[in-house]
Amino acid sequence: MKQDMIVILDLGSTENTVIARQIRDMGVYSEIHPHDITAEELKALENVKGIILNGGENRVVDGVEIDVLPEIYQCGYPVMAIDHAPAKCEQKYDSIPDEETIKSFIFDTCKAEANWNMKNFIEDQIEIVRRQVGDKKVLLALSGGVDSSVVAALLLKAIGNQLVCVHVNHGLMRKNESESVVEVFRNQLNANLIYVDATERFLTKLENVADPEQKRKIIGGEFIRVFEEEARKLEGIDFLGQGTIYPDIIESGTKTAKCVKSHHNVGGLPEDLQFELVEPLAQLFKDEVRACGVELGLPAEMVYRQPFPGPGLGVRCLGAITRDRLEALREADAILREEFAKAGLDKQVWQYFTVVPDFKAVGVRDNARSMGYMVVIRAVNTIDAMTASIARIDYDILEKIADRITAEVPSVNRVTYEITKKPVATIEFE
């Protein structure tokens, strides 16, 4: 079922996503597009019912207040203008109107139907992907993260064995993560999955490398090389699937807003790969991606997976990575996640993880002096990851976690809880 759409044209507002989310919460699909969209481009969007011109603090560019192209006003769509003086329409507001006013515009003026839901979204995307891909093949780097897992599940539903997934285990995954990816996608969903165990290759490259940036570059660069090697073995690959989501695009900047960080989901893939991109989640927010995963039948532990840096445990095993510390980190992290889930904290805390610093401290084990590693627990809450507050965890829970880690991970003799907000700290340690 084609979903009705309200198009938001960005005329310098910093609140585009606020309105888009508000409209979607009303059950109507919305997309944000640049102010200079042409009438032809607008009409190419399916089921447009109305337009919101959203002005704001960035509406003046080079001394001139920007406006949409004159032809947009002639397209016949109802138009609402917010904080935008040049608009040639009847419904004008100096600031974002209240919910009832927006609701009246959408349903009474635009006659839109509340048919935006995940079931309809998935059906639409399946049709779009099939039209784009035809009988060709799509290659997807499947990390096991939320975005790549959901896009894989959606593409499987759309094109089946025309999708080729490559999962690279760089030896820096959390406990049982690679096994989970193989179990879900190859064994349960019958995906065409290539599993590459590159653990030795990565850990050898990382020997004696202590600088965090150098570690990141080695891990990222080596991943690209492994992925490229696998791609060369395949024939007839014309498309690259990506888990690009809407915040990635927003953070890359628009014609009226500065770039927060570059959109780099291709991960620096070589230009000579020449893939056409397939990005079915590109208009979804993170919570919508999770809802999409649930609708597609992915297991909860995959859909609600903790945010995880690309270099994985490589930047949580602080300093030069050693295999014994990496294993201690993996086991301690698994215990933390298990105990947080038991206490219901996995649904309350935004992100929680362990790190293991590159030093040992004295302790007592088996009635004798021993030297062991320290595990640091970090748990934070945030909305946008730009700032973060400390999760206040009950001491009984922390004590239980500490007891389990020191009992079950023999190389560890101390567990600490880190309590620094962002700023001045960052969420990750490296």
Side-chain angles (χ1 to χ4, degrees), residues 277-294:
L277 296 181
V278 178
E279 301 175 304
L281 309 181
Q283 291 292 339
L284 294 188
F285 294 95
K286 192 73 173 188
D287 60 319
E288 293 171 336
V289 174
R290 295 190 197 278
C292 184
V294 170

Side-chain angles (χ1 to χ4, degrees), residues 19-33:
I19 299 176
R21 293 306 303 270
Q22 193 174 15
I23 295 170
R24 290 188 189 189
D25 287 344
M26 294 175 188
V28 178
Y29 185 56
S30 62
E31 282 186 3
I32 302 164
H33 287 272

Side-chain angles (χ1 to χ4, degrees), residues 318-339:
L318 306 186
I321 298 169
T322 60
R323 294 177 190 238
D324 61 333
R325 278 197 306 119
L326 182 60
E327 193 53 34
L329 172 61
R330 204 186 320 270
E331 292 298 323
D333 181 78
I335 292 168
L336 174 72
R337 287 187 288 130
E338 188 179 318
E339 290 300 328

Side-chain angles (χ1 to χ4, degrees), residues 1-3 5 29 31 44-47 116 120-135 138 154-155 157-159 162 239 276-284:
M1 180 182 187
K2 292 298 179 189
Q3 295 155 102
M5 185 198 304
Y29 185 56
E31 282 186 3
L45 300 174
E46 295 188 20
N47 283 31
W116 158 245
N120 289 343
F121 171 81
I122 290 167
E123 287 176 2
D124 280 359
Q125 290 303 318
I126 286 172
E127 185 181 323
I128 291 167
V129 167
R130 286 174 178 167
R131 199 185 311 149
Q132 180 187 7
V133 173
D135 59 358
V138 179
L154 199 155
L155 290 176
K157 209 169 179 67
I159 57 173
Q162 290 169 246
F239 296 89
E276 183 181 331
L277 296 181
V278 178
E279 301 175 304
L281 309 181
Q283 291 292 339
L284 294 188

